[in-house]
Amino acid sequence: MTYVMSDLHGEYQKFLQMLELIRPGDEDVIYILGDIVDRGEEPINLLLDIMNRKNVIPLMGNHDFLACDILKQLVKEITPGTTALAPKLMNQVLDWMDDGGINTMLQFRELQPCQREKILKFISGFSFVEIVEIDEKCFIMSHAGLGNYQKGKKLKEYTVYELIAARPDVDKRCFDDESVFIVCGHTPTRNLCGENRIYQTNGNIFIDCGAVFGGKLGCLCLDTMEEFYV
Ligand SMILES: [Mn+2]
């Protein structure tokens, strides 16, 4: 079976509860469509856990991208002789803190240098788009969907912004072929349909059910289209 979830945002306990519920076997694959870090309680424990699971495939979210970029700079900048950060980096750090980065930064700081390096390398390797074909269906997955969608535009032509940070047009059907679906997180479904549940419309499947915002962690099985919530 192939499962998808997204926007875990440090909700490590909910992730473990979801695994209890779906009980994936060695043959099963779980895609996490980005935003593993920031906002929630245990972003680094969650990353360390995911790193050691062979059947979990993480994709890049805007929070993961930003955290990785800033942490790489901080690791380089903060040496025993550092007394102040460059203003540009300082502003980036402050914006990140405003956007829920505090736990990610503090917990990252507790790690040994080799673990830090391993985590940054791990996040840097997240892919931006994955395509899965199951039976007659094709699922195109990314954190934010296909922003500024245009017919005929190749997947590799989408910018990082369009794949991890754009907001969706829920009324737009992108592919005429009704067996093709775009699966994404990033925008909580409560903002799209008024409820914390997986929302399907016009060939788009939105799966961010607001786990870190008092909603739920949702998970969709792409083989059966069964929905799971914790
Ligand atoms: Mn996001």
Side-chain angles (χ1 to χ4, degrees), residues 155-205:
L155 286 182
K156 65 179 182 199
E157 291 172 338
Y158 285 86
T159 63
V160 165
Y161 176 86
E162 288 169 334
L163 295 173
I164 71 173
R167 291 297 168 189
D169 180 353
V170 290
D171 299 322
K172 187 163 168 175
R173 171 173 283 283
C174 293
F175 298 94
D176 296 328
D177 183 342
E178 293 194 1
S179 66
V180 179
F181 298 86
I182 298 171
V183 189
C184 68
H186 184 53
T187 303
T189 53
R190 188 167 47 196
N191 299 350
L192 302 173
C193 70
E195 289 175 69
N196 296 317
R197 61 170 172 86
I198 292 167
Y199 178 51
Q200 292 197 43
T201 181
N202 297 312
N204 304 304
I205 305 176

Side-chain angles (χ1 to χ4, degrees), residues 7 35 62-63 143 164 186:
D7 295 79
D35 281 2
N62 54 317
H63 282 266
H143 180 58
I164 71 173
H186 184 53

Side-chain angles (χ1 to χ4, degrees), residues 194-230:
E195 289 175 69
N196 296 317
R197 61 170 172 86
I198 292 167
Y199 178 51
Q200 292 197 43
T201 181
N202 297 312
N204 304 304
I205 305 176
F206 301 98
I207 64 166
D208 174 8
C209 304
V212 81
F213 296 116
K216 292 178 190 136
L217 176 61
C219 177
L220 179 67
C221 175
L222 296 180
D223 302 75
T224 61
M225 298 309 271
E226 190 180 349
E227 299 171 9
F228 301 87
Y229 298 96
V230 295

Side-chain angles (χ1 to χ4, degrees), residues 138-153:
C138 174
F139 300 94
I140 301 168
M141 305 181 290
S142 75
H143 180 58
L146 300 178
N148 300 319
Y149 173 81
Q150 282 174 321
K151 271 197 170 53
K153 186 166 164 182

